[in-house]
Every structure is written in C-alpha cells, then in structure tokens.
Amino acid sequence: MGSRYTKKTFALEIVAILLAILFMVPFYFVIVNSLKSFSEILVDAAALPSELLFSNYVKVWDILNFPRPFINSLIITVFSNIGIVIISSMAAWKMVRTPGNFSKILFIFFVSAMVIPFQTVMIPLVKLGGMLGIMNSIPGIIIMYFGFGVPLSLFLYHGFVKTVPVEVEESARIDGCSPFGVFWRIVFPLLKPITVTVVILNTLWIWNDYLLPLLVLQDASLRTIPLATSSFFAQYTKQWDMGLAALVMGITPIIIFFLFLQKHIIKGIASGSIK
Amino acid sequence: MNTNTNTSTTTTKTTPVGEGQLSPHPQPTPITKLRSVSKRRAKLNKILTYAAFVGPALLFFVVIQIIPFFMGIYYSFTSWNGVSSTVEWVGFENFKRIFTNDERFFNSFLFTTKFMFAAVIISNFIGFSLALILNAALKTKNILRTVFFVPNVIGGLLLGFIWQFIFVRGFAAVGDLTNIGFFQLPWLGDATTAFWGIVIVFAWQISGYMMVIYIAALQGVDNSLLEAAKIDGATAFQTLKNIIIPLILPAFTICFFLTIAMAFKIFDLNLSLTGGGPFNSTQSVAINIYQEAFTNNNYGVGSAKAIIFFVIVAIFTTAQVMFTKKREVEA
C-alpha cells in the first residue's frame, strides 16, 4: 500500500486495465453491431462493420419517436426530484430541530418502510391510483415517486442536518426570520452536498425505473425510455440490427449524464450508502 | 387541525398575531392568564409549523406506501380479481393455495434464493477485489473507477436486452473464433446457463457500485497500522485478513445489505434477459407476483404472495444486518 510506483504496482495496473477492457467488451459488441445490416450481424458479430450503416438509427428514431419518450423520462425525473428534495429536506430539518419522542417515532416510521419491497404495494397502489385519478398521467406518476422517494431521501437529509450547526439559524430567527425564511435562506444552501447525493441517487433510480411506469402509464404517448424500449423489443423480436440501435439510443442520455457528473456521482454514491 | 385553529384564535384575539411569548403589549387580562394564553399560542404555532414542514412528506409517504401496504394485507384474504366491485373474504384460502398447490411459486422462490446467494457472493468478491486493486497507487485509478462504475448507471431492463445479444450472438461469435468451450455453451438456452447468465449480468452491473463503497472504506484505514503490520513481517494476505477486513466490516454490512435486497427483488433485468425462461426456470419471485396479479388477474392471490415476499425480505435483510453488526462489535 506504499505510495511508491514499484514493479508490483505496474503489474497491478496492467491487470486492472485488462479487467477494465473486459468490462467494456459488451459495449463494443452493441455499438459495432448497431452499425451493421442484419445479415452481417448473423455472419460474424465480433467483426467490425464492413461499412458504417446509420440507417438502423434513422429507422428506430422514427419508430420509437425518440424525442417523445426522452422528454417524458426527463419531465418525470426532473419534477420527481424537485418534489422529493423539497418535501424530504423540509421534513428532515424540522424533525432534527424538534427533538422528542414524536420526531423519533416518526423517523423510525419513515425509515422502516425502506424494507417494504415495491412488489408488496404495487397491486393495491394500482387500485388506489385509479380511485385518486392519478393513473395514466405524468403528474400522477410524479406524485407516486414523491411517496416512494421520501424514506431514503429523508434518511440522508436527517443524517446530514445533524452535522449542521444550529447557531446560524438561531441568530436568523432572532432577527425576525420566519421558519420558512430560516430554512430556505439559511439552512437549505448549507445542505447542498447531501442534496447533490439525493438528486443523483433518485435520478439513477427514476430514470431507469421500469415497473412503476409499466403499471401507471398505459398511453403510448406517455411512455418513458425503458417502456418504449421494451415495447419495441416486444414488436421487433430478434431484429438485432434495429434493436441494438434502440439500445444505444436508450443508454446514451444517462451515460452522458454520468460522464459529466461522474466525480459527484461516485462521491455521492459512496457517501449516500455509508450513512 | 382546523377546528383547533379556530378556537384558539377566538380565545387569543387580543394577542397580536406572531408576537408569541414575548408580547410586550399591556393587556387588560391578569398577567398569569395572559402568559398561559400566549404560551398556548406559541405551542400551537410550533405545532402548525411542524405540520407544515413534515406534513407534505408524511402525506405522500402514507398515501403512496402505507395505505397500499395495509390494503394489500386486506386483499390477501380476499378473492379479488381486480375488476369486480365486490370483494369476497376468503380467509387463509390464498395462503393455503400458495403453500400447498403452487409449485411455480415455490420454484421461483428457490430460484431467487439460489440466485441471491450466487449474485451476492460474486458481486461482492469482484467489487472488493477491484477496490483492493484500485486502492494501490495506480496512475489510471480515476479513469478505471469510472469504467467499472459505468454499467451501474444503465437500467436493468436495457441491460438485460444488451446482454441477451451478447450471450446469444456475441458469445457464439467469440466461441467460433477461439473454440473456447465456455463461449460455445447454449447460453440462456437451458436452465443452468440462464441462471448463470443472470448472475453474470447482475455482477457486471453491481460490482462497480460495491467497489466504490469498498474504496471509500479502504481509504479510511489508518496507514500506520498497515506499516506496523509490514514491519512485524505480516504477509499481504495476513494483513488483509486480520487488519483490513475487520476494520472495514461496516462496508461489508452495507454492501451485503444492498446486494441482498437488490438480488432478491430482481425484476427488470430478469424479465428482459430471459423472461423467466426457459420453461420458467429463471422466474424470480417479483415476476411471479407480477404475473399472478396482472396477467392472471388473481389480485387476491397476488397480494398474498406479495405479503409473503415482504415478510421474507424483511427477515433476510434484518437478520443479515444484525449478524454483521454483531461481528462488527466483536471485531
């Protein structure tokens, strides 16, 4: 574990790079074959394409009507995130700053729900959603994400608020700031590091979620990227030339998101899980 | 809440709003009464603020998760089919049917449990090994960390489709080129290769995530302890076993907790990779519940399965956390 760069470290580095290449091989297969014709894929899936064929992408773009599912996914992810951040940060702050049995029990109530698997609530949720009139609508699914997102986000905020000194809030309160003013002007900016973590974790979850949209969004025009991809595959089974192009399109937005924010994401994941 | 607000505003009409306890205004009422009234006002104010801050989170959480949870318990005792408006109470009939006359559900549990053990062990082994390698002073450390983490940002559904292609076409092509038997197996075509296929994809997706957590823990290990072990002549393996692993046991708790939960609840990846096949041999519990409810329209039986699923997930995860926590204390 020394910091010198020895022969042993070099050997380790080679091993690590080889492993990384092995990890990336699936992407090679997917990208290379998405640029081939169907018959060329069948001949040899490992070879490079004889000519770059972009027609698969053009076709799939039209079939999926790609901007539609992309925008749906984007709207759902962004607004769910905003709502979850607002309600869970407010609740967590107030609960930490109001010590007592009530807050303690409430906190346990929120956190223990994290053990409930989604499959346990999904069947009645469909029924309840119908009764509340929030099925088959984008605002409806966003509301549902609020409910599912609260426990973990509140838990993370709760842990973080405890480390924020209370003195600043108190002086602001004496200066006549309302509780909302104190929270939004003073406390919330201080919560930024954990807000980044919360947003990253929720984005990866909501963007990639398949089952809740499958249950809630029936209209083709409301489909998210995972939904559109799965119905594409149901329709064009084994047509890998177009299927792979659809997959590359589907994974590109989230990979770009990751590459732009990778430092924050990796840090956020580490701190989010250690708490 | 509303009636409370009304009554208190009528009794404390004389106190200006928002003044609370510190009201300096001379009042016609006796001091003691004034004090108790403004105290009550302050308390009420506190409660209302508390409700305003905590209420929204609590409301969404209760409506979306808690109410359906209890509705599910109720439905598990009924023969509800999801359509008819009358819901008939059948007692323990659904549970009896599941335990005595539902081989497919039993098999899906067996599959999911086996899968969980294989997936948890393999993805933690790979994740921890990668963390140990990347914790050395490598020059390409940061970029490698990114590479290993990438699969984790892709959703399970798309990953499953991607790997379906890799297994069926990619492996076959590599097998033709290299003649290595491993690649020439009928991947996803029989129960064994389908099982290990899902394990491989799960490990590929999750290992990088586990690695990130293990790296964070390894960075917290005090270097002087490692130096001391080296001076005392400990081998690398002894250092790992007797110093590093005991020190980062909390990370193992987290990683095992996360992987157990994720593996046991597997749905998307399973659905797009094998669809539960061949011959339902890789049907996870989550898929079984989904089909029971939404394909067969047996909402009552589906709810009963969902409750059983909940109990088992809860037992697994709490038992595991308690077990590792206990080890942590001992270490």
Side-chain angles (χ1 to χ4, degrees), chain A residues 29 43-46, chain B residues 166-187:
Chain A
F29 274 100
V43 174
D44 186 359
Chain B
I166 307 290
F167 280 128
V168 177
R169 295 267 153 230
F171 272 30
V174 176
D176 288 344
L177 284 177
T178 60
N179 259 326
I180 297 175
F182 176 80
F183 294 107
Q184 292 168 325
L185 294 171
W187 281 98

Side-chain angles (χ1 to χ4, degrees), chain A residues 115-126:
Chain A
V115 213
I116 304 176
F118 177 74
Q119 281 79 11
T120 302
V121 294
M122 71 180 177
I123 302 169
L125 181 67
V126 169

Side-chain angles (χ1 to χ4, degrees), chain A residues 13 23 103 120 127 208 262, chain B residues 50 139-140 146 153 204 306:
Chain A
E13 184 129 34
F23 249 69
S103 291
T120 302
K127 163 105 176 162
N208 289 323
Q262 48 155 321
Chain B
Y50 193 91
K139 288 190 169 121
T140 49
T146 307
V153 304
W204 185 70

Side-chain angles (χ1 to χ4, degrees), chain A residues 1-5 8-10 12-13 15-17 19-27 29-30 33 41-46 87-88 90-91 93-95 98 102-103 106 109-110 113-128 131-132 134 143-151 154 179-180 183-184 201 204 208-211 214-215 225-227 229-230 233 238 240 244 246-247 250-251 254-255 258-259 262-263 265-267 269-270 273-275, chain B residues 46 49-50 52-58 60-69 71-73 75 80 82 84-85 87 126 130 132-142 144-159 161-166 168-171 173-174 176-177 203-205 207-209 212-213 216-217 223 226-227 230 236 244 254 258 265-268 271 285-286 289-290 293-294 299 302-303 306-307 309-310 313-314 317-318:
Chain A
M1 305 282 150
S3 49
R4 270 180 318 124
Y5 198 78
K8 224 174 105 191
T9 328
F10 180 70
L12 216 53
E13 184 129 34
V15 172
I17 291 172
L19 280 173
I21 293 171
L22 189 69
F23 249 69
M24 289 297 103
V25 166
F27 291 113
F29 274 100
V30 171
N33 286 296
I41 295 176
L42 293 187
V43 174
D44 186 359
I87 61 179
S88 27
M90 282 172 65
W93 175 68
K94 201 73 207 170
M95 283 161 72
T98 318
F102 187 74
S103 291
L106 203 58
F109 178 56
F110 274 117
M114 284 198 267
V115 213
I116 304 176
F118 177 74
Q119 281 79 11
T120 302
V121 294
M122 71 180 177
I123 302 169
L125 181 67
V126 169
K127 163 105 176 162
L128 188 70
M131 280 158 38
L132 297 173
I134 54 174
I143 287 176
M144 292 186 191
Y145 279 124
F146 289 176
F148 287 111
V150 158
L154 188 139
F180 287 95
F183 180 74
W184 289 113
L201 289 173
L204 291 180
N208 289 323
D209 193 25
Y210 172 65
L211 189 47
L214 177 69
L215 294 172
I225 289 180
L227 275 186
T229 311
S230 80
F233 270 83
K238 310 284 176 209
W240 285 114
L244 293 173
L247 289 171
I251 62 176
I254 194 78
I255 288 189
F258 169 66
L259 292 180
Q262 48 155 321
K263 261 208 186 116
I265 292 177
I266 290 179
K267 223 172 81 192
I269 295 276
S273 10
I274 283 172
K275 278 183 190 122
Chain B
K46 249 184 161 172
T49 323
Y50 193 91
F53 274 84
V54 181
L58 189 64
F60 286 113
F61 169 66
V62 168
V63 171
I64 301 301
Q65 281 209 68
I66 301 302
I67 293 177
F69 178 70
M71 280 166 81
I73 295 178
Y75 285 131
W80 183 39
S84 78
S85 51
V87 176
I126 298 176
L130 290 177
L132 283 178
I133 294 174
L134 293 200
N135 198 39
L138 302 187
K139 288 190 169 121
T140 49
K141 194 152 109 179
N142 288 333
L144 288 174
R145 204 179 49 179
T146 307
V147 167
F148 289 124
F149 192 80
V150 164
N152 193 61
V153 304
I154 305 170
L157 187 95
L158 276 72
L159 272 186
F161 285 129
I162 288 175
W163 275 86
Q164 201 189 332
F165 179 76
I166 307 290
V168 177
R169 295 267 153 230
F171 272 30
V174 176
D176 288 344
L177 284 177
W204 185 70
Q205 182 186 20
S207 300
Y209 186 175
V212 167
I213 301 175
N223 254 327
L226 304 177
E227 299 287 335
K230 213 174 189 177
I244 297 177
I254 297 153
L258 287 172
K265 293 189 251 182
I266 188 162
F267 180 85
D268 314 10
L271 194 70
V285 180
I289 295 173
Y290 177 84
F294 300 108
Y299 283 54
S303 298
I307 299 299
F309 186 51
F310 160 72
V313 169
T317 43
T318 44

